[in-house]
């Protein structure tokens, strides 16, 4: 066993990218146990807003994500880009003060699905299944092919925004629901969804969502659509049932 680990160490020392890949897959998450102060905080953040007793969520496990250096670097570089862009405005407008300070970073929720035994019995690995969305996000970040990443202000809203029939429809594939707690660089928030999606290079980094239809369309301040996938950094995975 010692000889095996020595061989592994030599192999990784020759190819640093192999070590990074190994850590990103085999040591991607750590379960936060009962009594852990960090777990208690995430528990409180997750359950805030769930006022309906009939929809009280039951947390199965809370996992801390160990983001790879590449994903973390992309997030931090994008935040610095947003800060610098806002700082170029002279004099700095009031709406840009938060952007200059920290990129207007917010804590948001994103509901998705997974198909494996992520974090079960203390497991730290992620899987390579094509349709295991949570593992894919942990491994590579959010896809740049998405038109925008919809993040919500509360876990309840994120849960409600996710189609209920997905789990039942794909039950044969062992699809389960999970909540991602994310750091989000919102940057400058625009108000016109259609215009800013088409021309987001005009200044806005994200836009508020829209609810209703026709003349009843309204701004949904609980939903924030972020344009750049580098702006969203998942920090925790909460496996739960309702």
């Amino acid at each position: 066993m010692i000889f095996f680990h020595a061989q592994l160490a030599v192999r990784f020392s020759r190819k640093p990218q192999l070590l990074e890949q190994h850590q990103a897959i085999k040591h991607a998450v750590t379960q936060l146990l009962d009594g852990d102060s960090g777990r208690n905080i995430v528990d409180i953040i997750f359950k805030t807003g769930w006022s309906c007793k009939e929809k009280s969520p039951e947390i199965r496990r809370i996992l801390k994500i160990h983001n790879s250096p590449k994903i973390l670097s992309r997030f931090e570089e994008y935040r610095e880009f947003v800060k610098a862009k806002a700082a170029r405005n002279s004099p700095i407008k009031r709406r840009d003060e938060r952007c200059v300070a920290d990129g207007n970073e917010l804590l948001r929720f994103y509901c998705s699905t997974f198909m494996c035994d992520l974090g079960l019995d203390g497991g730290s690995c992620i899987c390579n299944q094509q349709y295991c969305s949570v593992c894919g996000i942990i491994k590579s970040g959010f896809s740049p092919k998405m038109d925008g990443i919809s993040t919500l202000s509360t876990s309840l809203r994120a849960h409600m925004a996710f189609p209920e029939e997905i789990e039942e429809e794909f039950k044969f594939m062992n699809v389960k629901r999970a909540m991602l707690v994310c750091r989000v660089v919102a940057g400058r928030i625009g108000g016109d969804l259609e215009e800013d999606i088409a021309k987001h290079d005009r200044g806005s980094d994200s836009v508020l969502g829209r609810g209703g239809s026709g003349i009843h369309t309204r701004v949904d301040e609980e939903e924030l659509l972020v344009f750049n996938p580098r702006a969203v950094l998942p920090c925790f995975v909460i496996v739960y049932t309702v």
Side-chain angles (χ1 to χ4, degrees):
M1 181 64 71
I2 295 176
F3 177 70
F4 171 76
H5 285 299
Q7 282 186 317
L8 202 60
V10 171
R11 182 185 178 192
F12 286 149
S13 66
R14 292 174 179 171
K15 295 185 177 181
Q17 65 271 25
L18 290 179
L19 176 58
E20 182 177 325
Q21 185 179 15
H22 172 80
Q23 292 176 332
I25 295 176
K26 299 298 183 181
H27 305 282
V29 297
T30 298
Q31 184 172 354
L32 300 181
L33 303 176
D34 291 338
D36 187 300
S37 59
R39 188 191 192 286
N40 295 336
I41 292 173
V42 177
D43 186 300
I44 293 172
I45 292 173
F46 173 74
K47 290 183 177 178
T48 298
W50 290 75
S51 57
C52 303
K53 292 183 179 180
E54 68 274 16
K55 286 191 174 183
S56 180
E58 182 178 348
I59 295 177
R60 300 297 184 182
R61 52 190 178 276
I62 297 178
L63 310 171
K64 180 179 180 179
I65 299 173
H66 302 293
N67 286 293
S68 70
K70 182 182 296 184
I71 290 178
L72 186 59
S73 177
R74 286 195 315 220
F75 174 78
E76 293 175 341
E77 287 173 359
Y78 179 75
R79 183 177 57 194
E80 291 304 311
F81 166 77
V82 171
K83 290 167 59 177
K85 184 175 67 171
R88 286 197 294 268
N89 294 330
S90 183
I92 297 174
K93 299 178 182 178
R94 186 169 184 178
R95 65 181 290 193
D96 293 327
E97 290 177 354
R98 273 291 308 275
C99 293
V100 175
D102 62 2
N104 195 12
E105 185 175 321
L106 306 171
L107 189 69
R108 310 287 292 184
F109 295 89
Y110 182 89
C111 191
S112 190
T113 58
F114 67 107
M115 300 170 59
C116 61
D117 294 327
L118 181 64
L120 188 65
D121 297 328
S124 61
C125 300
I126 57 175
C127 74
N128 287 314
Q129 297 186 65
Q130 182 179 359
Y131 299 108
C132 192
S133 299
V134 172
C135 286
I137 292 171
I138 294 174
K139 181 181 179 181
S140 306
F142 286 86
S143 172
K145 296 180 180 179
M146 300 171 68
D147 291 331
I149 303 166
S150 176
T151 65
L152 284 299
S153 60
T154 67
S155 60
L156 175 60
R157 276 302 311 275
H159 172 82
M160 293 175 62
F162 195 86
E164 292 185 6
E165 63 272 13
I166 292 293
E167 288 170 288
E168 186 63 31
E169 185 176 351
F170 295 97
K171 191 174 183 179
F172 69 98
M173 296 176 66
N174 196 32
V175 167
K176 302 174 287 290
R177 184 184 304 229
M179 188 70 64
L180 294 173
V181 183
C182 307
R183 293 168 60 187
V184 177
V185 176
R188 178 180 287 182
I189 301 174
D192 192 317
L193 181 61
E194 293 183 0
E195 179 181 346
D196 283 8
I197 285 179
K199 303 178 180 180
H200 61 267
D201 58 339
R202 299 183 70 177
S204 298
D205 304 296
S206 59
V207 292
L208 298 175
R210 293 280 173 171
S213 59
I215 61 174
H216 300 293
T217 299
R218 58 178 175 77
V219 174
D220 185 355
E221 295 186 355
E222 293 192 35
E223 181 183 15
L224 184 71
L225 190 69
V226 184
F227 296 130
N228 197 311
R230 296 184 299 161
V232 185
L233 183 73
C235 300
F236 300 95
V237 180
I238 301 173
V239 179
Y240 70 102
T241 55
V242 177

